[in-house]
Amino acid sequence: MMTLKELKNLVKPADPKKRVPCAVSLKQSGARIVVREAVGLGADITVYANGYVLYQEGEKTTVFPLHACSAYGYQSVTGQQKIFRSDFFDNENWYVRLLMEASDLMERNQEKILSNHNVCSYNPFSEEWKELKDQEQDVLERLVEREMFRDLMSVLTEKQKKAVTLYYLENMKQEDVCVEMGIAQQSVSNMIKRAVSAMKKRLEETENKKI
């Protein structure tokens, strides 16, 4: 897994004196593709060696400088304000922070389109976009949680990882986990408890480093 910090070290910053290119210009610039990731059905993020990021979702696109992605603040679907410091993303999967930036830019672009066409807030198209944005925000939250969970899992043994994955991610009952792993149910129970304890300790250490 390439982290955002590693990616930023690989790619030189985009020239701040130049205008951000459009998607077509970026694709035709001849700049080398450093990394690309499919992040959904028909959506992908591409980072170019000239310091720009291209997010494409079907026919919709947005371009932004890689190194402009630092701290991030947003309002969750529950209305709670959340702020992630820039170093929170340094060791996460490289595309997590970029996906957030792309989502915000796509939203602002859509708002401009709606405004230019005098679309009222009760318009079905506007409501459909709001619902889509809420869904995207929820996806972002779950994506961040998934990346954090992956980091917490790194402190576990292979057997603990399997037990936790089956029990928490695949929602299997403990008796089914013990059959899958070929061990006694009490052993599964103890393994999960030790794994959770280790993950909590890792989480506390991570949070203390960010204070």
Side-chain angles (χ1 to χ4, degrees), residues 45-113:
I45 287 183
T46 306
V47 179
Y48 290 82
N50 59 3
Y52 290 106
V53 180
L54 169 64
Y55 174 77
Q56 184 159 4
E57 183 181 324
E59 297 182 354
K60 296 182 292 184
T61 61
T62 188
V63 177
F64 53 92
L66 168 65
H67 291 77
C69 298
S70 53
Y72 184 79
Y74 76 103
Q75 187 176 48
S76 69
V77 293
T78 61
Q80 182 182 3
Q81 288 292 132
K82 294 187 177 182
I83 297 178
F84 293 99
R85 289 174 16 175
S86 58
D87 59 359
F88 172 85
F89 300 98
D90 282 349
N91 296 312
E92 299 296 332
N93 203 314
W94 66 269
Y95 61 81
V96 173
R97 175 64 180 88
L98 306 189
L99 180 60
M100 293 176 170
E101 189 75 11
S103 178
D104 285 352
L105 290 172
M106 295 286 276
E107 179 186 18
R108 287 198 288 270
N109 291 342
Q110 187 65 32
E111 287 175 346
K112 287 181 181 179
I113 293 173

Side-chain angles (χ1 to χ4, degrees), residues 22-40:
C22 67
V24 174
S25 296
L26 181 57
K27 288 179 179 180
Q28 296 177 349
S29 66
R32 178 175 59 87
I33 293 176
V34 178
V35 65
R36 173 181 287 162
E37 181 76 20
V39 292

Side-chain angles (χ1 to χ4, degrees), residues 164-179:
V164 168
T165 299
L166 293 174
Y167 185 66
Y168 287 107
L169 301 185
E170 298 186 17
N171 297 316
M172 291 179 63
K173 296 180 180 179
Q174 283 194 14
E175 50 264 36
D176 295 327
V177 175
C178 74
V179 173

Side-chain angles (χ1 to χ4, degrees), residues 101-199:
E101 189 75 11
S103 178
D104 285 352
L105 290 172
M106 295 286 276
E107 179 186 18
R108 287 198 288 270
N109 291 342
Q110 187 65 32
E111 287 175 346
K112 287 181 181 179
I113 293 173
L114 297 178
S115 177
N116 291 339
H117 289 80
N118 296 317
V119 178
C120 299
S121 60
Y122 59 82
N123 186 282
F125 183 70
S126 178
E127 290 300 312
E128 179 182 329
W129 172 255
K130 181 180 182 299
E131 181 179 351
L132 178 61
K133 178 59 183 175
D134 288 343
Q135 292 174 355
E136 287 181 353
Q137 203 68 56
D138 183 52
V139 169
L140 291 176
E141 290 174 13
R142 286 188 283 113
L143 183 57
V144 171
E145 289 173 357
R146 187 183 70 183
E147 294 302 322
M148 291 178 64
F149 189 73
R150 185 178 298 169
D151 176 65
L152 297 179
M153 289 269 282
S154 67
V155 302
L156 306 182
T157 65
E158 290 305 313
K159 285 188 176 181
Q160 287 175 329
K161 287 178 183 178
K162 185 172 183 179
V164 168
T165 299
L166 293 174
Y167 185 66
Y168 287 107
L169 301 185
E170 298 186 17
N171 297 316
M172 291 179 63
K173 296 180 180 179
Q174 283 194 14
E175 50 264 36
D176 295 327
V177 175
C178 74
V179 173
E180 177 72 21
M181 297 185 66
I183 57 178
Q185 183 174 347
Q186 187 59 49
S187 297
V188 169
S189 179
N190 293 337
M191 189 179 298
I192 291 174
K193 287 179 181 178
R194 287 194 296 269
V196 170
S197 177
M199 292 169 74

